[in-house]
Amino acid sequence: MDKQQDFVLRTIEERGVKFVRLWFTDVLGSLKSVAIAPAEVEGAFSEGMGIDGSSIEGLSRSSEADVIAKADPSTFQVLPWRGETDPTARMFCDIYTPDGEPAAADPRNVLKRTLAKAADRGFSFYTHPECEFYLLKSADVRHPEPVDRAGYFDNVPGGTAHDFRRASVRMLEDIGISVEFSHHEAGPGQNEIDLRYADALSTADNIMTFRTIVKEVAISEGVFATFMPKPFEGQPGSGMHTHMSLFEGERNAFHDPSGKYQLSKMGRQFVAGLLHHAPEFTAVTNQFVNSYKRLWAGDEAPSFVSWGHNNRSALVRVPLSKPNKAQSARVEYRGLDSAANPYLAFSVLMAAGLKGIEEGYELPDEAVEDIWQLSDKERRALGYTPLPTSLDAALTAMEESELVAETLGEKVFSFFLRNKREDWRNYRNQVTRVELESNLLSL
């Protein structure tokens, strides 16, 4: 037994842990959980726990239902919201087939596989997400109402959001997830909590834990949290602007003190890869019908393939907040939804950037204008091509992408397309309130 496993077993005994939740994620990014007794944990390390994968979105077909969930001891944490009466811990799992092979449809395995390819080239991939979400007074889906009418960076003494963020950050820190800062966002009831830089796999695990904690704290405060991309008409959507960097050992491969914005040639090629392949992977980073209402409604949501420095209408931004600190050199992808599956999203972002490096893509001219203020003709003249305008268009672009198919693997790629095509058909077939109000009595 290795030291991490031994630490987990000792901690369970010393802390009186009564249940251990084994967490994993389906292809669509929903967190799944199986609770086991402490006596079963050692077996969860050595042999894994058999589960029925056919009942989990995309994990396996009914003809190959059995899969094995093996706990990752490095992810062990006691859950602070479970209290002292029934202390409960969690560990993330990797999913395997009965013959011991990593399950092709396990999103965590997709990311680990992509990270391994980067490691073969000498790279480590780090990410830092800015997670936005709304707090609602209740879970009434017909008449959602935000908890306040505050705006960007507003301080609301004694307000629900202020107390909520404080409790959430404390709980995140208790579970070992470092928070950089938190604040009220631009929309009423909208908040942002930024997680500190970590390797991409840890960040993806942290995002799944973060969403759970946010919802648990919201329930304890008598409110409801949603990561829906665009819950309110006329208000900003919730994105997850993600800062990224590649390291070669201890050296930040994106830093060059003589480069424009101190971005290295490799960093420029990485950005070029993101831009070149963005329309192909947008269905992964923005997987809902509702995602495109966020992308195409303004409010700092990027809609066109472009990059810039201090240009928040660009899809990719190259910040320069700490010019004398090489370790902080990074690029920011602004298209990602807060509700995206982080394992798959980070996989396609990294694969696109690495493709730009491998193929030596040239970075197009920087966007210095507010792209939203330009006319269609001006945008075409400057080469700012649009992102897909709907889930349907995004899926069509994804279907033709060798990069996305190779990165996700055949099982995830085909299941994702089938599932999201069904989402689009259901949306297309509905008769909306807007149609009824516009046409029912006038036609």
Side-chain angles (χ1 to χ4, degrees):
M1 184 180 301
D2 66 23
K3 291 183 178 179
Q4 287 182 326
Q5 295 177 10
D6 183 60
F7 169 78
V8 170
L9 295 174
R10 282 191 291 106
T11 304
I12 288 172
E13 184 177 357
E14 292 169 1
R15 301 276 300 266
V17 171
K18 298 291 191 295
F19 301 97
V20 178
R21 293 182 180 176
L22 304 183
W23 283 2
F24 53 98
T25 305
D26 70 13
V27 170
L28 304 181
S30 297
L31 185 66
K32 304 295 180 179
S33 178
V34 175
I36 61 174
E40 303 298 324
V41 172
E42 192 169 348
F45 292 141
S46 59
E47 299 177 357
M49 306 298 294
I51 57 175
D52 179 7
S54 66
S55 62
I56 299 165
E57 292 278 21
L59 201 55
S60 68
R61 297 187 292 264
S62 57
S63 60
E64 50 184 35
D66 292 334
V67 293
I68 307 297
K70 277 196 173 183
D72 180 347
S74 69
T75 65
F76 176 85
Q77 286 287 349
V78 176
L79 299 176
W81 65 84
R82 297 308 301 168
E84 297 299 322
T85 54
D86 291 307
T88 302
R90 72 93 164 99
M91 286 183 283
F92 281 95
C93 291
D94 295 306
I95 306 299
Y96 292 85
T97 62
D99 59 4
E101 293 298 314
D106 175 16
R108 200 168 189 260
N109 179 53
V110 171
L111 180 55
K112 292 175 78 170
R113 190 173 65 231
T114 311
L115 290 169
K117 291 180 180 178
D120 289 342
R121 301 178 179 95
F123 294 123
S124 299
F125 185 53
Y126 291 85
T127 53
H128 153 57
E130 302 175 357
C131 307
E132 297 173 345
F133 54 93
Y134 273 87
L135 288 180
L136 311 176
K137 289 185 177 180
S138 71
D140 183 355
V141 297
R142 293 187 178 183
H143 305 286
E145 185 178 354
V147 297
D148 60 43
R149 294 292 169 183
Y152 200 46
F153 286 136
D154 280 356
N155 181 50
V156 187
T160 299
H162 182 78
D163 292 340
F164 166 87
R165 290 196 304 273
R166 182 174 57 208
S168 296
V169 170
R170 185 184 301 119
M171 193 171 287
L172 287 163
E173 297 282 356
D174 286 346
I175 207 171
I177 298 176
S178 297
V179 173
E180 188 170 53
F181 55 79
S182 64
H183 60 86
H184 200 289
E185 253 297 333
Q190 190 181 32
N191 292 266
E192 177 177 312
I193 297 177
D194 296 359
L195 308 184
R196 286 195 179 276
Y197 255 105
D199 66 275
L201 182 62
S202 295
T203 305
D205 289 343
N206 288 346
I207 289 169
M208 298 306 299
T209 306
F210 166 83
R211 291 177 187 164
T212 301
I213 285 177
V214 163
K215 288 183 175 288
E216 289 283 354
V217 173
I219 291 170
S220 72
E221 302 261 336
V223 295
F224 182 81
T226 180
F227 292 91
M228 182 179 179
K230 180 77 170 177
F232 295 110
E233 183 179 344
Q235 297 296 344
S238 291
M240 186 165 65
H241 301 164
T242 298
H243 299 250
M244 300 175 283
S245 56
L246 284 179
F247 276 72
E248 294 178 298
E250 298 297 317
R251 187 183 74 85
N252 188 338
F254 283 180
H255 182 256
D256 180 355
S258 63
K260 188 175 184 180
Y261 308 129
Q262 298 190 8
L263 186 66
S264 67
K265 179 181 178 180
M266 191 175 291
R268 293 175 64 85
Q269 292 171 334
F270 189 95
V271 173
L274 292 175
L275 298 179
H276 183 84
H277 294 285
E280 304 168 30
F281 64 64
T282 296
V284 178
T285 56
N286 308 83
Q287 65 168 313
F288 303 101
V289 169
N290 182 255
S291 300
Y292 298 84
K293 298 183 179 182
R294 169 187 163 248
L295 288 180
W296 286 95
D299 297 308
E300 291 193 359
S303 308
F304 295 88
V305 178
S306 56
W307 76 278
H309 172 44
N310 282 327
N311 188 345
R312 297 184 183 275
S313 65
L315 179 62
V316 179
R317 194 171 71 91
V318 180
L320 191 61
S321 56
K322 298 179 181 178
N324 298 317
K325 189 175 180 181
Q327 301 296 83
S328 70
R330 61 196 188 277
V331 301
E332 176 191 6
Y333 189 80
R334 298 174 60 80
L336 198 60
D337 283 341
S338 279
N341 183 331
Y343 301 103
L344 301 186
F346 290 167
S347 294
V348 295
L349 289 170
M350 179 168 53
L354 290 175
K355 189 71 169 180
I357 294 172
E358 293 166 8
E359 301 294 333
Y361 289 175
E362 290 290 331
L363 189 63
D365 291 339
E366 175 186 359
V368 294
E369 313 88 350
D370 183 343
I371 300 170
W372 267 102
Q373 298 302 316
L374 300 176
S375 66
D376 288 340
K377 183 177 180 181
E378 289 171 326
R379 285 191 285 260
R380 284 195 299 270
L382 292 168
Y384 303 147
T385 58
L387 288 173
T389 56
S390 68
L391 179 60
D392 180 47
L395 293 171
T396 299
M398 177 179 163
E399 279 181 316
E400 302 300 320
S401 175
E402 292 183 9
L403 177 89
V404 177
E406 179 182 353
T407 302
L408 299 185
E410 180 183 354
K411 282 192 175 181
V412 173
F413 184 75
S414 59
F415 172 81
F416 188 94
L417 286 171
R418 287 197 309 273
N419 183 276
K420 293 303 168 181
R421 283 291 184 202
E422 184 64 23
D423 282 356
W424 177 253
R425 280 192 293 270
N426 291 338
Y427 175 72
R428 182 188 59 195
N429 292 339
Q430 71 174 325
V431 177
T432 67
R433 175 182 56 82
V434 172
E435 292 170 278
L436 291 172
E437 291 178 354
S438 299
N439 302 321
L440 184 64
L441 299 181
S442 62
L443 297 179

